[in-house]
Amino acid sequence: MLRNYTEVVVAEVFDSVLREEIKQNPDLCDCQRCREDVMAVALNRLPPRYVARGLGEVYTKASFDQVGGKAQIIAALMHGFKLVGQSPRHKKDPTS
Ligand SMILES: [Zn+2]
């Protein structure tokens, strides 16, 4: 079983970037669907780094370096939040 390490590190910094983005744009939707859309946009902009299961722990310490650095991951996520924030794929639910 292969794991895309980029996905692991994107998930790792997702919430901290979300908190910052919500300060800029309080209307930002953080439902599961939008989260996955943002993550997909970010992952498509970052190089994948596949590791075989079991090797994950070895790569943990170097994870950000493995995928081009933390700044690059944050930039890709910010781009995702911007795109999804501008055109979420669902109507805003007034009850949520
Ligand atoms: Zn949403």
Side-chain angles (χ1 to χ4, degrees), residues 17-51:
V17 179
L18 174 64
R19 277 195 295 275
E20 290 305 309
E21 289 294 314
I22 278 182
K23 281 182 201 163
Q24 312 292 323
N25 177 11
D27 289 336
L28 200 67
C29 181
D30 70 339
C31 76
Q32 189 61 32
R33 188 168 174 181
C34 290
R35 282 170 169 259
E36 284 176 6
D37 280 346
V38 170
M39 224 173 263
V41 171
L43 285 170
N44 283 333
R45 290 171 71 87
L46 295 164
R49 283 289 178 271
Y50 288 101
V51 291

Side-chain angles (χ1 to χ4, degrees), residues 2-20:
L2 291 175
R3 193 92 171 87
N4 180 0
Y5 216 84
T6 308
E7 204 176 321
V8 176
V9 294
V10 164
E12 208 168 279
V13 296
F14 188 92
D15 283 321
S16 64
V17 179
L18 174 64
R19 277 195 295 275
E20 290 305 309

